[in-house]
Amino acid sequence: MTQTSQDGTLNGTLTAPRAFGSGYLFGVPLGDLGLFATLLMSFAVGFAAFFAATFVAIVVLLFDKAITGRMPDFTITYKFVGLPAGIVVLALTLAYLGTLWIKRKLRKG
């Protein structure tokens, strides 16, 4: 039977989940992603933000139609809500994950 010490190590190896500062987010090792995985994750989160923001905007316009009785222009949801939200989230995730990838490359290099 093995014993774990107070600091979360087992025979010198870390057994407890890592925190924010070490490139882990909710236990996911974001700091260990390669370049392709970093780009893939960033674009996936950007697309998800685009679709989520567009969905919320469509629902808001549907409520507006139900209350006012006039037909809104639903292209507003894509142009002025979904696209800016997707671009902002894409830029933020590329910056964050790209920084983690660059730090990892500089540490190894």
Side-chain angles (χ1 to χ4, degrees), residues 54-69:
T54 302
F55 171 75
V56 170
I58 288 172
V59 170
V60 168
L61 284 182
L62 284 175
F63 280 117
D64 177 56
K65 180 185 181 306
I67 292 170
T68 63

Side-chain angles (χ1 to χ4, degrees), residues 15-51:
T15 58
R18 295 184 184 170
F20 258 121
S22 60
Y24 280 71
L25 179 63
F26 301 119
V28 177
L30 297 178
D32 295 336
L33 298 176
L35 178 62
F36 180 72
T38 297
L39 293 174
L40 185 65
M41 292 284 287
S42 297
F43 279 94
V45 172
F47 281 133
F50 167 78
F51 290 119

Side-chain angles (χ1 to χ4, degrees), residues 4-10 12-19 22 24 27:
T4 305
S5 66
Q6 285 293 99
D7 63 352
T9 60
L10 173 67
T13 61
L14 187 63
T15 58
R18 295 184 184 170
S22 60
Y24 280 71

